[in-house]
Every structure is written in C-alpha cells, then in structure tokens.
Amino acid sequence: MNGFYEVYQDASGEYRFRLKAPNGEIILASEGYKAKASCTNGIESVRKNSQDDSKFERLESKSGKPYFNLKATNGQVIGNSEMYSSTSGMENGIASVKNNAPKAEVVEE
C-alpha cells in the first residue's frame, strides 16, 4: 500500500491536506487554502519539491523538539511535520515524505 493525501475542509471552511504514510500516520500537513484548486496545487508542489533535499528546512521547536518544513521553489512553506523526539526520527519522516509524496493518491474526506 502507498501513502496518500487526505484532502479535507477545516472548521473555518478552508481546504487542507495531510500526507499520510501507508500505516496512516500523518507525515506532512498543509496550511489552509481558501479554494480547493489551490489545495490541489499545493499537493502538486509537494510531489515536485519533496524530491529536492534542499527544500526541507530542518528546525527545532522552542521546547527542543526537531521538526521540518517543506518549502516550494519560491520559499513558501507548503507543508510541515509533527514534532519528533529525535533528529533521527525527523530524518526518517523526511525520508518517508520523499518516498510517499510523488506516488500518493488523493483521497477526499
């Protein structure tokens, strides 16, 4: 089984997507989009940019937990990860995004 993009509307009516691993774990979450078409464009941007390691911004939260953002060519954040307990966990998350993002199908909630 492959990973998949779950597209949904949040409580404020904005469209969002989550890239999920084959086990259903969320590995990347988007910001909100006003239009569904913009959300779809965001998914296409993840597919493309996830194959370039330089587009992954490795960060640390105020509490010291590692996480990452995936950025588009224009520098805009198109997805962010959960907080990880270790740097190796974060790197595994990045590897999972690189592996799942290009082929993942889109599922609407």
Side-chain angles (χ1 to χ4, degrees):
M1 183 177 162
N2 289 329
F4 59 96
Y5 293 95
E6 181 180 66
V7 175
Y8 65 100
Q9 268 186 292
D10 65 17
S12 69
E14 289 191 319
Y15 290 91
R16 295 176 180 266
F17 65 83
R18 296 181 275 239
L19 175 59
K20 292 189 170 185
N23 66 3
E25 186 178 332
I26 297 169
I27 50 178
L28 194 73
S30 76
E31 310 291 44
Y33 297 94
K34 295 206 183 318
K36 190 173 179 183
S38 301
C39 186
T40 302
N41 289 343
I43 291 171
E44 290 309 313
S45 186
V46 169
R47 288 187 203 277
K48 185 175 71 178
N49 290 291
S50 64
Q51 301 310 291
D52 180 349
D53 191 69
S54 71
K55 299 290 196 301
F56 288 91
E57 181 181 39
R58 291 155 171 90
L59 300 162
E60 196 172 280
S61 70
K62 289 185 178 90
S63 62
K65 292 195 178 284
Y67 71 101
F68 64 87
N69 288 332
L70 176 61
K71 292 188 162 190
T73 308
N74 65 6
Q76 185 175 356
V77 174
I78 46 179
N80 55 302
S81 75
E82 64 180 5
M83 299 294 161
Y84 291 93
S85 56
S86 67
T87 302
S88 63
M90 176 189 69
E91 291 298 334
N92 288 341
I94 290 171
S96 184
V97 171
K98 288 177 179 177
N99 184 43
N100 287 288
K103 301 180 294 290
E105 56 186 273
V106 176
V107 177
E108 294 193 28
E109 192 177 81

